[in-house]
Short mmCIF file of all heavy atoms in Angstrom, two decimals:
data_model
loop_
_atom_site.label_atom_id
_atom_site.label_comp_id
_atom_site.label_asym_id
_atom_site.label_seq_id
_atom_site.Cartn_x
_atom_site.Cartn_y
_atom_site.Cartn_z
N THR B 189 -45.04 9.56 -21.19
CA THR B 189 -44.60 10.59 -20.24
C THR B 189 -43.81 9.89 -19.17
O THR B 189 -44.34 9.16 -18.31
CB THR B 189 -45.78 11.33 -19.54
OG1 THR B 189 -46.63 11.83 -20.60
CG2 THR B 189 -45.28 12.52 -18.75
N ILE B 190 -42.46 9.97 -19.22
CA ILE B 190 -41.64 9.16 -18.35
C ILE B 190 -40.74 9.98 -17.42
O ILE B 190 -40.32 11.02 -17.76
CB ILE B 190 -40.74 8.33 -19.26
CG1 ILE B 190 -41.63 7.43 -20.14
CG2 ILE B 190 -39.77 7.44 -18.43
CD1 ILE B 190 -40.89 6.62 -21.17
N GLY B 191 -40.64 9.52 -16.25
CA GLY B 191 -39.79 10.12 -15.24
C GLY B 191 -38.54 9.30 -15.09
O GLY B 191 -38.58 8.09 -15.27
N PHE B 192 -37.48 9.91 -14.65
CA PHE B 192 -36.21 9.09 -14.44
C PHE B 192 -35.56 9.58 -13.20
O PHE B 192 -35.26 10.81 -12.94
CB PHE B 192 -35.29 9.37 -15.66
CG PHE B 192 -33.93 8.60 -15.56
CD1 PHE B 192 -33.91 7.23 -15.27
CD2 PHE B 192 -32.74 9.22 -15.83
CE1 PHE B 192 -32.74 6.59 -15.17
CE2 PHE B 192 -31.51 8.56 -15.74
CZ PHE B 192 -31.58 7.24 -15.42
N ILE B 193 -35.26 8.62 -12.27
CA ILE B 193 -34.60 9.01 -11.04
C ILE B 193 -33.28 8.33 -11.07
O ILE B 193 -33.19 7.06 -11.34
CB ILE B 193 -35.35 8.50 -9.79
CG1 ILE B 193 -36.77 8.99 -9.82
CG2 ILE B 193 -34.62 8.90 -8.55
CD1 ILE B 193 -37.60 8.48 -8.55
N THR B 194 -32.18 9.06 -10.91
CA THR B 194 -30.87 8.48 -11.04
C THR B 194 -29.87 8.97 -10.07
O THR B 194 -30.10 10.03 -9.40
CB THR B 194 -30.23 8.87 -12.43
OG1 THR B 194 -28.91 8.44 -12.57
CG2 THR B 194 -30.22 10.47 -12.62
N ALA B 195 -28.89 8.17 -9.85
CA ALA B 195 -27.73 8.65 -8.94
C ALA B 195 -26.91 9.70 -9.72
O ALA B 195 -27.13 9.83 -10.91
CB ALA B 195 -26.90 7.47 -8.58
N ALA B 196 -26.09 10.42 -9.04
CA ALA B 196 -25.29 11.41 -9.69
C ALA B 196 -24.50 10.75 -10.90
O ALA B 196 -23.99 9.70 -10.78
CB ALA B 196 -24.28 12.00 -8.79
N ARG B 197 -24.64 11.35 -12.07
CA ARG B 197 -24.02 10.74 -13.23
C ARG B 197 -22.49 11.26 -13.45
O ARG B 197 -21.79 10.67 -14.13
CB ARG B 197 -24.81 11.09 -14.49
CG ARG B 197 -26.09 10.28 -14.56
CD ARG B 197 -27.07 10.98 -15.56
NE ARG B 197 -27.54 12.15 -14.96
CZ ARG B 197 -28.33 13.05 -15.65
NH1 ARG B 197 -28.69 12.73 -16.88
NH2 ARG B 197 -28.77 14.14 -15.09
N ASP B 198 -22.19 12.34 -12.83
CA ASP B 198 -20.89 12.82 -12.95
C ASP B 198 -19.89 11.91 -12.25
O ASP B 198 -20.08 11.70 -11.02
CB ASP B 198 -20.82 14.30 -12.32
CG ASP B 198 -19.51 14.93 -12.64
OD1 ASP B 198 -19.04 14.87 -13.74
OD2 ASP B 198 -18.93 15.52 -11.68
N GLY B 199 -18.92 11.50 -12.87
CA GLY B 199 -18.01 10.60 -12.27
C GLY B 199 -18.50 9.18 -12.01
O GLY B 199 -17.88 8.42 -11.34
N ASN B 200 -19.59 8.92 -12.63
CA ASN B 200 -20.16 7.50 -12.51
C ASN B 200 -20.61 7.06 -13.84
O ASN B 200 -21.80 7.32 -14.28
CB ASN B 200 -21.33 7.61 -11.47
CG ASN B 200 -21.85 6.23 -11.19
OD1 ASN B 200 -21.80 5.33 -12.10
ND2 ASN B 200 -22.49 5.97 -10.11
N ASP B 201 -19.76 6.35 -14.56
CA ASP B 201 -20.13 5.91 -15.97
C ASP B 201 -21.27 4.94 -15.98
O ASP B 201 -22.03 4.84 -17.03
CB ASP B 201 -18.94 5.41 -16.65
CG ASP B 201 -18.27 4.24 -15.90
OD1 ASP B 201 -17.71 4.51 -14.76
OD2 ASP B 201 -18.35 3.08 -16.35
N ARG B 202 -21.43 4.18 -14.86
CA ARG B 202 -22.59 3.23 -14.90
C ARG B 202 -23.91 4.00 -14.95
O ARG B 202 -24.77 3.65 -15.72
CB ARG B 202 -22.52 2.31 -13.69
CG ARG B 202 -21.40 1.26 -13.67
CD ARG B 202 -20.17 1.76 -13.09
NE ARG B 202 -20.28 2.05 -11.67
CZ ARG B 202 -19.55 3.06 -11.08
NH1 ARG B 202 -18.72 3.80 -11.88
NH2 ARG B 202 -19.63 3.27 -9.83
N ALA B 203 -24.00 4.93 -14.06
CA ALA B 203 -25.27 5.80 -14.02
C ALA B 203 -25.48 6.50 -15.38
O ALA B 203 -26.52 6.57 -15.86
CB ALA B 203 -25.18 6.81 -12.89
N ARG B 204 -24.35 6.99 -15.94
CA ARG B 204 -24.51 7.67 -17.19
C ARG B 204 -24.89 6.74 -18.31
O ARG B 204 -25.80 7.06 -19.13
CB ARG B 204 -23.08 8.38 -17.51
CG ARG B 204 -23.29 9.78 -18.08
CD ARG B 204 -21.96 10.49 -18.06
NE ARG B 204 -20.88 9.70 -18.44
CZ ARG B 204 -19.73 9.48 -17.65
NH1 ARG B 204 -19.72 10.05 -16.42
NH2 ARG B 204 -18.81 8.74 -18.08
N GLY B 205 -24.31 5.53 -18.29
CA GLY B 205 -24.68 4.57 -19.29
C GLY B 205 -26.12 4.27 -19.29
O GLY B 205 -26.81 4.09 -20.29
N ARG B 206 -26.69 4.06 -18.03
CA ARG B 206 -28.04 3.75 -17.87
C ARG B 206 -28.96 4.92 -18.42
O ARG B 206 -29.91 4.67 -19.08
CB ARG B 206 -28.34 3.52 -16.43
CG ARG B 206 -27.67 2.19 -16.00
CD ARG B 206 -27.78 1.85 -14.51
NE ARG B 206 -26.91 0.80 -14.08
CZ ARG B 206 -26.81 0.16 -12.93
NH1 ARG B 206 -27.59 0.65 -11.96
NH2 ARG B 206 -25.98 -0.78 -12.74
N TYR B 207 -28.51 6.10 -18.15
CA TYR B 207 -29.22 7.26 -18.67
C TYR B 207 -29.28 7.27 -20.21
O TYR B 207 -30.26 7.46 -20.81
CB TYR B 207 -28.61 8.54 -18.14
CG TYR B 207 -29.04 9.81 -18.86
CD1 TYR B 207 -30.45 10.27 -18.78
CD2 TYR B 207 -28.16 10.47 -19.66
CE1 TYR B 207 -30.78 11.33 -19.45
CE2 TYR B 207 -28.58 11.66 -20.33
CZ TYR B 207 -29.83 12.05 -20.23
OH TYR B 207 -30.29 13.17 -20.91
N GLU B 208 -28.13 7.03 -20.78
CA GLU B 208 -28.01 7.06 -22.19
C GLU B 208 -28.83 5.93 -22.85
O GLU B 208 -29.45 6.10 -23.91
CB GLU B 208 -26.54 7.01 -22.64
CG GLU B 208 -25.89 8.30 -22.55
CD GLU B 208 -24.35 8.28 -22.42
OE1 GLU B 208 -23.85 7.13 -22.41
OE2 GLU B 208 -23.76 9.35 -22.14
N GLY B 209 -28.84 4.75 -22.17
CA GLY B 209 -29.65 3.73 -22.64
C GLY B 209 -31.10 4.07 -22.74
O GLY B 209 -31.82 3.72 -23.70
N LEU B 210 -31.55 4.79 -21.74
CA LEU B 210 -32.91 5.25 -21.65
C LEU B 210 -33.27 6.15 -22.85
O LEU B 210 -34.23 6.07 -23.53
CB LEU B 210 -33.19 5.94 -20.35
CG LEU B 210 -34.57 6.51 -20.06
CD1 LEU B 210 -35.74 5.70 -20.49
CD2 LEU B 210 -34.65 7.02 -18.68
N CYS B 211 -32.32 7.12 -23.07
CA CYS B 211 -32.43 8.07 -24.23
C CYS B 211 -32.40 7.23 -25.52
O CYS B 211 -33.28 7.58 -26.39
CB CYS B 211 -31.27 9.02 -24.21
SG CYS B 211 -31.33 10.14 -22.82
N ASP B 212 -31.53 6.27 -25.65
CA ASP B 212 -31.57 5.50 -26.86
C ASP B 212 -32.88 5.00 -27.17
O ASP B 212 -33.41 4.97 -28.26
CB ASP B 212 -30.55 4.31 -26.71
CG ASP B 212 -29.09 4.81 -26.74
OD1 ASP B 212 -28.83 5.97 -26.98
OD2 ASP B 212 -28.21 3.94 -26.33
N ALA B 213 -33.46 4.39 -26.11
CA ALA B 213 -34.72 3.69 -26.28
C ALA B 213 -35.83 4.72 -26.76
O ALA B 213 -36.65 4.50 -27.62
CB ALA B 213 -35.25 3.04 -25.02
N MET B 214 -35.84 5.85 -26.07
CA MET B 214 -36.79 6.87 -26.46
C MET B 214 -36.70 7.31 -27.91
O MET B 214 -37.64 7.30 -28.68
CB MET B 214 -36.66 8.08 -25.57
CG MET B 214 -37.00 7.78 -24.10
SD MET B 214 -36.91 9.24 -22.97
CE MET B 214 -38.41 10.19 -23.44
N ARG B 215 -35.43 7.53 -28.35
CA ARG B 215 -35.19 8.03 -29.69
C ARG B 215 -35.62 6.91 -30.67
O ARG B 215 -36.29 7.19 -31.74
CB ARG B 215 -33.67 8.31 -29.88
CG ARG B 215 -33.36 9.77 -29.55
CD ARG B 215 -31.90 10.03 -30.01
NE ARG B 215 -30.98 9.27 -29.14
CZ ARG B 215 -30.42 9.72 -28.08
NH1 ARG B 215 -30.61 11.03 -27.68
NH2 ARG B 215 -29.55 9.01 -27.41
N SER B 216 -35.31 5.72 -30.41
CA SER B 216 -35.55 4.70 -31.28
C SER B 216 -37.10 4.41 -31.40
O SER B 216 -37.57 3.70 -32.28
CB SER B 216 -34.94 3.31 -30.90
OG SER B 216 -35.62 2.67 -29.99
N ARG B 217 -37.92 5.04 -30.57
CA ARG B 217 -39.29 4.88 -30.66
C ARG B 217 -39.99 6.34 -30.97
O ARG B 217 -41.16 6.55 -30.81
CB ARG B 217 -39.95 4.47 -29.33
CG ARG B 217 -39.76 2.98 -29.08
CD ARG B 217 -40.33 2.08 -30.12
NE ARG B 217 -40.25 0.66 -29.81
CZ ARG B 217 -39.27 -0.18 -30.14
NH1 ARG B 217 -38.31 0.35 -30.98
NH2 ARG B 217 -39.20 -1.35 -29.75
N GLY B 218 -39.11 7.21 -31.45
CA GLY B 218 -39.62 8.50 -31.92
C GLY B 218 -39.93 9.52 -30.76
O GLY B 218 -40.65 10.43 -30.87
N LEU B 219 -39.44 9.12 -29.55
CA LEU B 219 -39.68 10.07 -28.46
C LEU B 219 -38.50 11.03 -28.25
O LEU B 219 -37.36 10.68 -28.55
CB LEU B 219 -39.83 9.28 -27.13
CG LEU B 219 -41.34 8.97 -26.68
CD1 LEU B 219 -42.20 8.60 -27.88
CD2 LEU B 219 -41.31 7.84 -25.64
#
Side-chain angles (χ1 to χ4, degrees):
Chain B
T189 310
I190 301 177
F192 181 50
I193 305 179
T194 177
R197 285 161 292 174
D198 188 46
N200 183 336
D201 55 293
R202 286 88 64 212
R204 224 164 40 237
R206 292 174 192 184
Y207 165 67
E208 279 156 4
L210 175 50
C211 293
D212 290 347
M214 292 181 77
R215 272 188 294 264
S216 85
R217 287 299 187 265
L219 264 40

